[in-house]
Amino acid sequence: MPKYVMVIDQARCVGCMACIVSCKNENDVPPDHFRTRVIENVSGKFPKLRMELRSELCNHCDHPPCVYNCPTGASYKNKENGMVLLKKNRCVGCKACIAACPYDARYIHPEHGYADKCTFCSHRVEKGLEPACVKTCIGTSRIFGDIENPDSEVSLLLRDNYSYALKSSAGTDPRVFYINRITKPE
Amino acid sequence: MEQVITGLNSITHPHLEVWDWTVAVYLFLGGLAAGLLVMSAVANLRNWPDDEEGPHCIKGALYAPLILAIGMIFIFLDLERKTNMYWFFLSFQTFSPMSWGAWGITITIPLSFLYGLSTVPAGKRNRMPFAFLKRWSVRLEPHMRKLAMINFGLGIFVGIYTGILLSAMLARPLWNSSILPVLFLNSAISTGAAFLIIVAHKSAVKLFYTKVDIWLIFSEIMIIMLFFYSQYTSTAAAKASAMPFFTLSHEYFFYFLSIMIVAILLPLALVLKLIEMQEDHAETLSSATIFRMNLSAIMVLIGGLIIRFAFIYAGQLSTFS
């Protein structure tokens, strides 16, 4: 069984926002709504400034609060690949998952009313393709793969580098890992 | 540090905006109905001195399903996909408080209705609208005590559920406290008692609930203080989550105001009730006494409503960090 994770090498991110655009294009994300975002943190005092670029998305947690709080089973964790996905026809739009998510990864689809989110482009992954944001990343900052495979790029990166996950103290066991060689980890 | 974020969703930034006044009203009405069930069950199960066995608070049991059903309308209004509501009842999610609540309330409404029917005294059955209701009332009367016990449990369940619904949200430090369900349950029972003080006719019943509400208000004040103390002494995020209530600024004015009103209303209601208990009341209560009792009960109800509103909105300002 594959266990898909995403590794984000922050040093390779150039802040081009192509990941946001490709995600919107691939998944038909409505205007003014986003499944992924890029955070630019500028710290220090001029001229000694330091910029950290960090892209964020659904962490496809191993212990997902959104799934635990969903009253209808619309949000679920795919047992085969571990992705946190949504059965759109079951969603009642109660917004419990949005309130429960520590990563603020969800939004209400303005047209259909369901609590939409990143799916790791599961429709592409099923065909053996990479998620759209990974495919389009010009700095190859986003790397996607199977962590169960010891020879995969994500396994090698996580083995060779210090990595951290966002808000790991929440106990959600996120599956998006960050490699940051420049700035101090959070 | 300067921060620029590209790709924000307005529903989550700068703070969460998912649940509004409809959810606050739902939690209040749910709590009120729960309190009515608990309090009327207590009154009906209690051995009243110098009195024959029988129902002592029929209005609580009769109002509860109605108020609960109205509350359900408000939560229905909050749903983004109302036509999918049936999915609540096609599955049961063990870890989801909302799923427990959907099923629990669905069971509570008919059972509390049956309890209400069982409490209607024989002399008042002719006021009931349908013949089958009269028949049911006659049939259920011998089971009043059993139904009272069941509805006591259901009332506790619904009262706690309104708090657990919020406290299960790990991502919102203000809600993510085990004290919150206790506070909501206490507030629910207290508002239930206050409501019954207003609607009850018998002076003995009014005085009984006034006496009970003194303890409930006292414990509610204690729980509120303990809640904020625990938030203050907890993590940075939990501490920050309580700050809107204690920050007098333009941004947090309504949160500050809400805690101020609660801090005035509840102790004032407590004092009014204590004064009431000092007096020797005749068989029939004077209009001035009834006015004072109703006034303090209204204060408790307003306090309960403000607590729900304040927690719903302030909780959405807080984030896990």
Side-chain angles (χ1 to χ4, degrees):
Chain A
M1 288 288 177
K3 186 180 176 185
Y4 292 115
V5 302
M6 189 177 285
V7 174
I8 296 173
D9 190 341
Q10 290 180 260
R12 288 169 146 187
C13 179
V14 295
C16 66
M17 315 296 167
C19 48
I20 298 175
V21 176
S22 65
C23 173
K24 285 181 82 81
N25 184 53
E26 177 69 31
N27 298 295
D28 203 16
V29 179
D32 299 325
H33 293 78
F34 302 90
R35 289 185 178 189
T36 184
R37 56 180 171 260
V38 176
I39 295 167
E40 302 170 57
N41 282 327
V42 179
S43 56
K45 203 172 179 183
F46 185 82
K48 292 178 180 174
L49 295 172
R50 184 168 62 179
M51 178 188 269
E52 180 204 9
L53 291 164
R54 188 178 69 233
S55 46
E56 293 184 356
L57 63 160
C58 169
N59 282 258
H60 293 269
C61 311
D62 274 344
H63 298 109
C66 57
V67 173
Y68 297 155
N69 277 279
C70 180
T72 62
S75 284
Y76 69 103
K77 189 151 178 75
N78 188 314
K79 285 175 186 165
E80 287 180 7
N81 55 28
M83 292 179 189
V84 175
L85 301 171
L86 180 74
K87 290 173 187 162
K88 290 171 186 169
N89 65 319
R90 275 191 172 209
C91 181
V92 291
C94 68
K95 293 162 279 189
C97 54
I98 300 176
C101 176
Y103 306 101
D104 294 332
R106 289 184 181 241
Y107 63 91
I108 288 289
H109 194 288
E111 197 181 327
H112 304 296
Y114 53 76
D116 206 8
K117 65 179 274 297
C118 161
T119 60
F120 267 169
C121 284
S122 59
H123 60 288
R124 287 175 60 93
V125 175
E126 279 167 13
K127 294 175 191 166
L129 301 169
E130 292 176 313
C133 60
V134 175
K135 182 75 180 166
T136 201
C137 185
I138 58 166
T140 59
S141 169
R142 292 190 183 216
I143 304 112
F144 181 80
D146 176 15
I147 202 170
E148 293 291 303
N149 176 2
D151 298 324
S152 68
E153 194 179 355
V154 287
S155 295
L156 294 172
L157 277 168
L158 291 175
R159 199 160 58 219
D160 295 342
N161 294 278
Y162 169 79
S163 67
Y164 70 99
L166 294 178
K167 300 180 182 180
S168 54
S169 60
T172 52
D173 291 337
R175 288 155 67 109
V176 174
F177 299 94
Y178 293 84
I179 295 172
N180 190 336
R181 299 191 191 94
I182 303 170
T183 54
K184 288 180 285 182
E186 273 187 332
Chain B
M1 187 168 71
E2 193 178 302
Q3 191 175 64
V4 178
I5 308 176
T6 309
L8 287 177
N9 288 313
S10 58
I11 200 167
T12 50
H13 288 275
H15 56 77
L16 195 70
E17 282 182 53
V18 295
W19 286 338
D20 57 12
W21 64 272
T22 52
V23 177
V25 172
Y26 162 67
L27 294 183
F28 173 72
L29 293 178
L32 178 59
L36 285 174
L37 288 178
V38 172
M39 282 288 99
S40 53
V42 166
N44 290 339
L45 292 170
R46 188 170 175 261
N47 291 320
W48 292 78
D50 310 323
D51 206 347
E52 62 187 28
E53 179 79 3
H56 280 269
C57 189
I58 62 167
K59 288 196 173 176
L62 286 173
Y63 276 116
L66 182 69
I67 290 171
L68 209 47
I70 294 169
M72 289 285 272
I73 294 170
F74 281 97
I75 198 67
F76 176 73
L77 288 176
D78 182 66
L79 297 180
E80 298 290 337
R81 305 180 96 195
K82 295 175 178 58
T83 51
N84 270 11
M85 196 188 174
Y86 63 92
W87 277 107
F88 275 116
F89 309 108
L90 290 181
S91 71
F92 175 71
Q93 303 300 317
T94 323
F95 291 106
S96 165
M98 205 179 270
S99 185
W100 278 87
W103 281 105
I105 289 175
T106 308
I107 293 165
T108 304
I109 289 177
L111 282 176
S112 59
F113 181 65
L114 294 180
Y115 172 41
L117 283 180
S118 76
T119 59
V120 179
K124 290 184 178 175
R125 282 192 195 121
N126 56 351
R127 292 190 204 169
M128 292 166 75
F130 302 107
F132 77 94
L133 289 180
K134 289 173 196 168
R135 282 199 305 275
W136 283 16
S137 179
V138 173
R139 257 185 239 170
L140 289 167
E141 192 185 2
H143 306 291
M144 193 271 287
R145 283 184 75 86
K146 274 182 218 157
L147 283 166
M149 283 179 211
I150 293 167
N151 278 274
F152 178 87
L154 289 172
I156 297 283
F157 169 80
V158 173
I160 289 185
Y161 151 71
T162 59
I164 288 184
L165 181 69
L166 300 182
S167 73
M169 303 294 172
L170 156 84
R172 314 295 149 200
L174 187 76
W175 296 343
N176 191 217
S177 164
S178 55
I179 301 177
L180 197 67
V182 182
L183 170 62
F184 274 37
L185 173 65
N186 193 114
S187 172
I189 300 174
S190 180
T191 50
F195 189 88
L196 290 175
I197 291 168
I198 297 169
V199 298
H201 279 310
K202 286 183 187 171
S203 61
V205 176
K206 271 180 179 286
L207 284 167
F208 169 70
Y209 286 125
T210 301
K211 207 182 283 181
V212 171
D213 216 11
I214 287 172
W215 292 105
L216 289 169
I217 296 169
F218 179 73
S219 59
E220 191 172 344
I221 293 167
M222 287 292 120
I223 294 168
I224 290 172
M225 284 163 64
L226 280 172
F227 174 82
F228 285 116
Y229 176 73
S230 75
Q231 292 296 103
Y232 187 77
T233 53
S234 186
T235 60
K239 189 175 177 178
S241 73
M243 280 301 116
F245 292 106
F246 303 101
T247 310
L248 183 54
S249 68
H250 175 74
E251 193 181 358
Y252 301 133
F253 177 72
F254 285 104
Y255 303 103
F256 182 79
L257 187 67
S258 67
I259 203 73
M260 283 295 116
I261 292 172
V262 169
I264 292 166
L265 276 186
L266 292 186
L268 196 60
L270 186 65
V271 170
L272 276 174
K273 284 174 196 295
L274 282 170
I275 292 169
E276 218 55 66
M277 296 318 296
Q278 297 291 318
E279 293 178 16
D280 289 329
H281 293 290
E283 193 66 26
T284 324
L285 297 172
S286 69
S287 57
T289 307
I290 291 171
F291 173 76
R292 282 200 301 273
M293 279 182 170
N294 289 350
L295 181 67
S296 62
I298 288 167
M299 284 178 184
V300 172
L301 286 170
I302 292 171
L305 188 63
I306 288 173
I307 286 171
R308 300 314 190 287
F309 267 83
F311 272 89
I312 280 290
Y313 282 100
Q316 294 181 86
L317 297 177
S318 62
T319 50
F320 185 91
S321 57

